[in-house]
Amino acid sequence: MTTELDSIVGSARDAFAKAATPADLENAKAQFLGKSGRVTELMKGMAQLSVEEKKTRGAAINVAKQAIESALNERRQALADQELEAQLKAEALDVSLPGRLREPGGLHPVSLTMERIEQIFASMGFDVADGPEVESDWHSFTSLNNPPNHPARSMQDTFYVDIKGDDGIPYNLRPHTSPMQVRYAQAHVKKYEGREMPEVRVIAPGRTYRVDSDATHSPMFHQCEGLWLGENVSFKDLKVVFLDFCRTFFETDDLQLRFRPSFFPFTEPSAEIDIQFQSGPLAGKWLEVAGSGQVHPNVVRNMGLDPEKFIGFAFGMGPDRLTMLRYGVNDLRLFFDGDIRFLRQFR
Ligand code: PHE
């Protein structure tokens, strides 16, 4: 009798110990204390016993029942403790781990150059303007003394857009920033309506497009136009301004400038501007950095100005090229790959 109860208590303890979760434990409990559990069955079995026997048997069963209940409560507590411990462990913070850094962002190297260019020219009294990248044929070419069917148009491999202008000619992705010469000058003239306009002095940096792609050409690239027109602005001023710009930009006075005769429809005479470093890794090489020239009278006229009164120069330089020279980058495409390992170096 006692041994039977002891063995029930024993197997209850075993079953409780095996229960790995609170749900398992409640199932195990049902096997012993549930409606048809083993202890409950024993109680039912007492019906036929005498009063005397009921007393002793009932007391013994109660003792067993209490033992089972206390084993159950112990196991409940143990499982709850386990769960809490696991949760604490899972949520633990290792304060000795290094932090997850959010890296500071930075400007793209070409943007750094653009800002630099703007600052330097602004300090020399130049206005900074920008304009549309989808241009009319008139602005990109005709206004710049480059009429339809003129052979000089083939100097640039232009992208055309599926939209036609009022003249029936498709719009283009501007192949240079030179249309900004005319756009800016016209707007400037308008602003001075009726008043004496002393000069036009502006740079126009921005994106430009040509059908071209290799290590030193990309279909989208950058240019910065410069224009200075006044009563008596000459090549001499261009040389001073440009040399000053280059020396400030590259932070060296060890730099020479060379004008190499060239041709552009919108300037006459025209020249490529080459620079040469006297020291450093690029020393001794002539490097082409801009096209330039005295603004053609036809262009001055298209600006709404009298070429007898306004004379001066324009230049167009390549900020991508300037960035490559300044930082020693040998492949233009690196600027447009978006590779964080490359870009991070300029932060
Ligand atoms: N627009 C010319 C080019 O893209 C550069 C240039 C600008 C030349 C202004 C002369 C004057 O090559």
Side-chain angles (χ1 to χ4, degrees):
M1 174 66 229
T2 339
T3 28
E4 189 202 357
L5 284 174
D6 285 348
S7 101
I8 292 179
V9 172
S11 42
R13 287 210 175 100
D14 284 352
F16 295 164
K18 272 189 209 134
T21 67
D24 287 352
L25 185 59
E26 293 317 304
N27 284 337
K29 172 197 162 187
Q31 281 173 38
F32 295 93
L33 304 176
K35 261 190 205 152
S36 45
R38 290 174 68 181
V39 176
T40 320
E41 291 300 324
L42 286 179
M43 305 268 240
K44 286 181 195 160
M46 287 201 311
Q48 315 93 316
L49 298 181
S50 69
V51 175
E52 221 25 58
E53 279 172 323
K54 272 184 186 158
K55 260 192 186 166
T56 42
R57 175 97 172 131
I61 294 175
N62 262 335
V63 169
K65 195 180 167 190
Q66 276 164 17
I68 291 172
E69 277 170 350
S70 79
L72 176 69
N73 286 333
E74 239 171 70
R75 187 63 188 148
R76 273 191 185 135
Q77 190 58 50
L79 284 179
D81 289 351
Q82 252 178 41
E83 197 177 12
L84 181 64
E85 203 171 309
Q87 194 183 345
L88 286 175
K89 218 175 188 173
E91 291 172 2
L93 290 180
D94 183 349
V95 293
S96 68
L97 280 177
R100 279 183 216 132
L101 286 186
R102 176 108 43 106
E103 289 188 46
L107 286 181
H108 189 279
V110 174
S111 301
L112 291 173
T113 294
M114 292 295 224
E115 285 201 340
R116 220 172 145 70
I117 291 172
E118 289 174 21
Q119 272 165 17
I120 297 169
F121 279 102
S123 79
M124 294 194 275
F126 282 75
D127 200 359
V128 178
D130 62 349
E133 290 167 29
V134 179
E135 258 302 5
S136 72
D137 192 78
W138 189 81
H139 283 98
S140 283
F141 302 110
T142 310
S143 72
L144 295 168
N145 198 34
N146 197 351
N149 304 318
H150 192 282
R153 284 208 175 194
S154 58
M155 283 168 76
Q156 292 161 345
D157 300 300
T158 309
F159 286 111
Y160 287 92
V161 176
D162 257 354
I163 308 164
K164 282 186 177 139
D166 295 338
D167 52 8
I169 308 177
Y171 275 83
N172 57 79
L173 297 185
R174 63 176 182 188
H176 53 181
T177 43
S178 298
M180 279 307 291
Q181 287 185 35
V182 178
R183 278 190 180 277
Y184 179 86
Q186 284 183 336
H188 203 63
V189 168
K190 221 178 199 167
K191 236 170 55 184
Y192 275 84
E193 205 101 79
R195 283 179 294 147
E196 187 77 6
M197 188 181 83
E199 61 164 20
V200 182
R201 199 187 325 185
V202 67
I203 59 160
R207 277 185 285 266
T208 45
Y209 304 84
R210 283 184 209 179
V211 186
D212 220 349
S213 186
D214 59 41
T216 52
H217 297 88
S218 118
M220 189 284 296
F221 59 107
H222 297 88
Q223 278 199 346
C224 180
E225 197 76 7
L227 173 70
W228 190 357
L229 294 177
E231 210 177 292
N232 204 6
V233 182
S234 74
F235 250 88
K236 180 194 70 192
D237 300 295
L238 170 58
K239 184 165 186 181
V240 170
V241 162
F242 209 85
L243 184 62
D244 208 35
F245 161 73
C246 288
R247 289 185 170 169
T248 311
F249 183 85
F250 289 108
E251 297 169 274
T252 175
D253 284 341
D254 245 5
L255 185 148
Q256 299 297 323
L257 213 65
R258 174 176 85 175
F259 287 104
R260 188 159 37 85
S262 185
F263 171 79
F264 299 100
F266 32 92
T267 47
E268 181 60 38
S270 305
E272 305 285 351
I273 305 180
D274 300 336
I275 59 168
Q276 188 189 68
F277 295 96
Q278 307 307 300
S279 56
L282 295 167
K285 271 186 241 166
W286 284 108
L287 309 158
E288 184 182 319
V289 290
S292 69
Q294 183 172 313
V295 181
H296 195 286
N298 287 347
V299 177
V300 177
R301 238 173 256 123
N302 287 331
M303 292 170 175
L305 294 170
D306 178 357
E308 297 297 326
K309 266 168 79 180
F310 286 91
I311 191 165
F313 63 80
F315 60 83
M317 61 181 167
D320 304 318
R321 188 83 205 286
L322 294 182
T323 312
M324 291 172 79
L325 293 174
R326 177 150 192 252
Y327 296 110
V329 175
N330 55 11
D331 193 330
L332 177 69
R333 290 168 293 201
L334 286 166
F335 290 146
F336 308 119
D337 285 345
D339 188 330
I340 199 76
R341 292 166 303 176
F342 173 73
L343 297 173
R344 205 183 260 145
Q345 301 174 76
F346 301 91
R347 206 167 48 199

